[in-house]
Amino acid sequence: MATTTTETETVREPEAGAPPADRPRPYRIPIDLYERMAESGVFGDTSPIYLWKGQLVLPMTKGPSHEYALNTLLSLLVRLVPGGWHVRAGSPTRVPDDSEPEPDLTVLRGANRDYRTRTADAADVSLAVEVSDSSLRHDSGEKLEAYAAASIPCYWVVNIPEQRVDVYTRPTGPVGAGGPRYEGRQRFEPGEDVPVVLDGREVGRVAAGDLLV
Amino acid sequence: MATITPQIAADETPDPAAAAPRSGLRPYRLTVDVYERIAASGVFGDKSSIFLWKGQLVEKVSDMTKGRPHVNALNDLDRLLGDLVRGRGYFVEQDQPIALGNESEPEPDLKCVRGSNRDYLSRTPTAQDVPLVVEVSDSSLRDDMGEMLRAYASAMIPVYWIVNIPGRRIDVYTQPSGPSASPLYEGHRGYGPGEEVAVVLDGREVGRISVLDVIP
């Protein structure tokens, strides 16, 4: 009954390879749960949170050159894109692997009203565009890989730091040898025109120099 | 479009439990307030193992399903502690949230809370309300470096017990360091079969519990 003043037993050595006794494991948020959370307004209406691989993330802050390029391209695409597609800016797009980014621009198949009651997913996208400044590493890396895995046919990175437009085509889909990627890669510098190709059809051209300051 | 500034905890330590933020992405850190709104909306359904940890949603890792010795230890301790604190200004509860700082809300196996449960009808107990936290462990490791232990020490939970079922002992941690680069409990003592553990709440001993009554 009396307590001693020293420890009563020696500590056993940790078992080799045993996992830590208590370590919380990240919970991967599924897309459906994320959408319910967003719709319920728990994040507040003004927060640009989105879902990336099951985690809640914030985009990098956007500077004037980003906004300039985005708005220029938006007005150009709206003029070029014919019936059968429509253009959206910053619209949530479901992508496999528990992700729902909001690409700067997407050209979706169909009309705006076709998406009245549902969120677009990668299969609806003919062209995705990211205007990249501080986010270039992610947009040219993990995001590019995810869009290729999702078979988004054409992906542009308006590459502000390197002053060019990177155009990616021919996605391998999820099972490309050596990982999902785009097999077609082209670079357009100021002075060159970037063809706007939607599902194999060229609908017009955009001068790269119009987007880059 | 206005943005929400991510909350940074004053005692922020590296959080290996959180998924590594992807390159070029800033993790959105959930606060206790937002997390509680989410939980209250019922979107988690019956996934009771999810809780908030350092601004991220995490799941309690269980090495194995809880065996009878674990469940018995919890229930026996619940009853024994309850008997000691009844009428003395505390209550005991199992598996309920405690808000640690602004970004964590774990659910320890057992805790003593100051006051009565009605005091918490509209708010979650914080570290300041909790003089004792108890976790029951099925692992034979003496997990002094455990992440939960560090978080409780940082939050100044005065006393933390780990009931070690396979080791047949209760490890009692006292004198939390408070926020620091390596938070810890300065005092530690293990109690084995045949010994009694003093139950000390807010510096006052309210009684003793025999180890054998918890781990036969």
Side-chain angles (χ1 to χ4, degrees):
Chain A
M1 186 169 89
T3 54
T4 59
T5 53
T6 54
E7 289 186 35
T8 56
E9 60 184 271
T10 51
V11 176
R12 279 194 234 167
E13 290 306 298
E15 300 155 39
D22 66 0
R23 170 156 302 206
R25 174 181 66 203
Y27 169 69
R28 211 164 213 262
I29 302 170
I31 273 200
D32 293 333
L33 175 55
Y34 161 76
E35 288 183 350
R36 282 207 296 282
M37 286 160 69
E39 278 164 39
S40 71
V42 288
F43 301 133
D45 297 320
T46 55
S47 178
I49 300 168
Y50 66 97
L51 186 72
W52 188 253
K53 311 221 168 172
Q55 301 296 313
L56 299 173
V57 295
L58 291 164
M60 305 301 274
T61 46
K62 295 167 185 174
S65 47
H66 180 287
E67 290 304 282
Y68 169 77
L70 194 153
N71 283 307
T72 306
L73 187 54
L74 173 64
S75 2
L76 289 170
L77 285 177
V78 163
R79 267 188 267 146
L80 287 176
V81 168
W85 294 270
H86 71 284
V87 184
R88 290 186 160 196
S91 186
T93 308
R94 296 165 68 116
V95 170
D97 205 20
D98 300 316
S99 300
E100 193 164 302
E102 301 180 0
D104 285 325
L105 292 167
T106 42
V107 180
L108 302 183
R109 281 178 214 107
N112 187 34
R113 68 175 167 278
D114 298 332
Y115 298 83
R116 255 185 354 264
T117 55
R118 71 174 185 92
T119 305
D121 54 55
D124 301 309
V125 178
S126 295
L127 170 64
V129 180
E130 298 287 6
V131 178
S132 301
D133 204 344
S134 49
S135 60
L136 180 63
R137 190 166 149 222
H138 177 73
D139 291 341
S140 304
E142 205 174 281
K143 187 169 271 185
L144 179 131
E145 197 180 290
Y147 288 173
S151 300
I152 292 183
C154 188
Y155 173 43
W156 292 15
V157 175
V158 180
N159 185 334
I160 292 177
E162 290 170 289
Q163 289 288 291
R164 59 175 201 248
V165 180
D166 298 317
V167 173
Y168 299 96
T169 54
R170 304 204 312 278
T172 60
V175 289
R181 68 192 185 288
Y182 282 96
E183 294 188 322
R185 297 176 160 224
Q186 289 173 282
R187 293 174 170 182
F188 297 87
E189 315 245 313
E192 299 180 300
D193 288 341
V194 189
V196 180
V197 180
L198 305 179
D199 298 320
R201 175 179 154 190
E202 185 175 320
V203 300
R205 297 186 159 224
V206 168
D210 284 351
L211 307 182
L212 300 158
V213 179
Chain B
M1 179 174 9
T3 57
I4 288 182
T5 307
Q7 301 276 345
I8 308 293
D11 59 341
E12 186 176 32
T13 53
D15 42 345
R22 308 292 167 168
S23 60
L25 290 177
R26 299 179 292 149
Y28 171 71
R29 297 179 78 106
L30 289 163
T31 61
V32 157
D33 290 339
V34 173
Y35 165 75
E36 289 184 357
R37 279 211 297 280
I38 294 170
S41 71
V43 291
F44 292 139
D46 53 7
K47 267 204 141 325
S48 59
S49 57
I50 299 173
F51 61 97
L52 180 69
W53 191 247
K54 298 188 175 172
Q56 309 280 322
L57 293 179
V58 295
E59 278 184 298
K60 216 168 190 175
V61 175
S62 41
D63 299 335
M64 56 188 90
T65 50
K66 287 181 187 174
R68 205 62 228 182
H70 181 122
V71 171
N72 283 355
L74 261 176
N75 289 335
D76 287 337
L77 207 44
D78 192 335
R79 175 179 48 81
L80 291 165
L81 281 171
D83 289 343
L84 287 178
V85 304
R86 189 162 303 112
R88 301 184 84 148
Y90 304 93
F91 67 99
V92 177
E93 58 181 18
Q94 286 194 42
D95 275 327
Q96 296 304 315
I98 173 175
L100 293 184
N102 201 31
E103 294 194 334
S104 295
E105 196 162 299
E107 299 178 0
D109 289 331
L110 198 68
K111 63 181 181 298
C112 278
V113 186
R114 198 176 307 108
S116 88
N117 57 10
R118 289 184 194 192
D119 297 330
Y120 302 94
L121 270 172
S122 57
R123 72 177 187 88
T124 305
T126 66
Q128 286 72 37
D129 302 310
V130 175
L132 171 65
V133 164
V134 180
E135 302 271 20
V136 176
S137 171
D138 296 306
S139 165
S140 58
L141 294 175
R142 189 182 89 177
D143 196 7
D144 290 48
M145 301 312 292
E147 207 169 322
M148 307 304 283
L149 179 144
R150 285 202 301 278
Y152 293 139
S154 179
M156 297 290 286
I157 302 276
V159 184
Y160 176 47
W161 292 13
I162 299 181
V163 177
N164 186 324
I165 304 278
R168 299 195 73 217
R169 67 175 185 271
I170 297 178
D171 288 299
V172 174
Y173 295 90
T174 55
Q175 298 157 60
S177 65
S180 91
S182 291
L184 51 83
Y185 281 94
E186 310 268 359
H188 165 248
R189 198 171 144 181
Y191 297 82
E195 295 189 283
E196 288 188 332
V197 185
V199 179
V200 178
L201 303 178
D202 293 324
R204 208 174 37 137
E205 184 175 318
V206 298
R208 298 186 158 220
I209 288 178
S210 164
V211 173
L212 280 170
D213 283 345
V214 179
I215 315 168

